[in-house]
Amino acid sequence: MSDVLSTYSFRDVNVSFSNTNLGIAILFGGGSTQGVNEITVRMSTDRTTEKVGADGSVMPSAIPGDNGEVEIQVLQTSVAHQQFLNWFNQLITLSLSGNVDNWATTKCFIQLITNGTSHNCSGVSPVKMPDIPYAAEGGTINWVFRCANIYNS
């Protein structure tokens, strides 16, 4: 007989983006309806590489690096999209005046409360303004945020 795994529900995922310097407090999850469709946490650094010698011997290398990305797919007319857009525009406005001090100072925390797994991200900033679809019906928008450090637990 096989074991039954714990039940997954997106309503058990909580997410926060915060930056006290910029007054950013974006919160969603826990059953709220803010138009979030999917969240992906992606590490960027390959932690192992291998160099193969001319004789076929293999030398593995352990590479440090906890950087990565958080990609959040939202509905085109969602509250979440508007919040991310406001944050992005605030960063752009500050940078146009020569102030990039807070560009990558936001923090993001993602937790699945049913089993306690989480991602604690720091040095978070948007990669670019996402592609925006205009079609017969509303679509989704993918916001990608680079993170200088992601701690997985």
Side-chain angles (χ1 to χ4, degrees):
M1 183 192 279
S2 65
D3 291 331
V4 176
L5 301 177
S6 63
T7 301
Y8 169 84
S9 169
F10 189 78
R11 289 183 173 216
D12 292 329
V13 177
N14 289 317
V15 180
S16 68
F17 283 79
S18 61
N19 187 321
T20 54
N21 295 339
L22 297 173
I24 301 297
I26 301 171
L27 309 168
F28 52 86
S32 68
T33 53
Q34 296 196 0
V36 177
N37 191 50
E38 183 176 332
I39 302 167
T40 302
V41 177
R42 180 180 306 113
M43 301 305 291
S44 297
T45 301
D46 289 339
R47 301 299 295 259
T48 301
T49 63
E50 295 177 337
K51 178 72 175 170
V52 179
D55 63 358
S57 58
V58 178
M59 176 182 61
S61 292
I63 310 297
D66 294 323
N67 58 310
E69 295 178 341
V70 172
E71 183 171 351
I72 301 181
Q73 185 182 80
V74 298
L75 300 178
Q76 187 171 3
T77 61
S78 68
V79 171
H81 169 63
Q82 191 59 52
Q83 290 176 316
F84 290 141
L85 182 60
N86 291 341
W87 169 33
F88 180 76
N89 286 337
Q90 184 178 4
L91 289 173
I92 293 298
T93 299
L94 288 169
S95 71
L96 290 174
S97 67
N99 182 354
V100 293
D101 292 343
N102 291 299
W103 189 269
T105 58
T106 299
K107 296 178 180 179
C108 172
F109 183 71
I110 303 166
Q111 183 178 40
L112 176 58
I113 60 174
T114 53
N115 68 6
T117 59
S118 66
H119 302 280
N120 195 353
C121 312
S122 60
V124 179
S125 58
V127 172
K128 69 175 188 76
M129 179 66 192
D131 299 339
I132 306 292
Y134 293 97
E137 59 183 57
T140 56
I141 295 170
N142 291 355
W143 280 94
V144 179
F145 304 98
R146 293 261 163 83
C147 308
N149 185 38
I150 300 176
Y151 177 73
N152 302 282
S153 62

